[in-house]
Amino acid sequence: MTTRSVILLYRATCAKCRVLSLMLVWLSLGWVRRLPLMSPEAAALYEAHSLQRGKLAVIGYGRIFTGWRAFPGIAVIAALAICSRPAKKQT
């Protein structure tokens, strides 16, 4: 499954995780979508990507980053998104 939107799986039971994930969504102007770890859609993503359940994860543009690697992974996915945009044709 190749995900073209960026999804952040976060722990909804942790107040700090909720605030940080919400801040990331705001800072990305909605580009990043967040899903609680215990949601059915998150369970389907864990199953599809064979991820260890309960870990913070960022999924997008064919890449998956889990645990502490999710934080620098956001920058990698942003770079992939910028590079995958079609170049404008100048006339």
Side-chain angles (χ1 to χ4, degrees):
M1 170 192 265
T2 302
T3 307
R4 293 304 282 176
S5 64
V6 179
I7 299 171
L8 171 67
L9 301 173
Y10 72 101
R11 192 176 321 171
T13 57
C14 169
K16 185 166 64 170
C17 297
R18 286 193 310 265
V19 170
L20 289 173
S21 66
L22 190 57
M23 285 175 52
L24 180 63
V25 170
W26 285 343
L27 288 172
S28 71
L29 302 174
W31 179 62
V32 174
R33 196 178 96 188
R34 66 186 195 136
L35 285 174
L37 291 174
M38 296 302 166
S39 70
E41 191 173 358
L45 285 170
Y46 277 118
E47 185 70 29
H49 295 289
S50 302
L51 296 174
Q52 180 181 355
R53 288 190 181 271
K55 282 192 141 190
L56 172 73
V58 175
I59 302 170
Y61 289 86
R63 300 293 175 106
I64 301 168
F65 298 93
T66 60
W68 66 268
R69 292 174 190 88
F71 295 105
I74 292 285
V76 171
I77 290 174
L80 287 170
I82 291 167
C83 292
S84 70
R85 295 182 75 196
K88 287 187 177 181
K89 192 175 189 180
Q90 294 186 359
T91 56

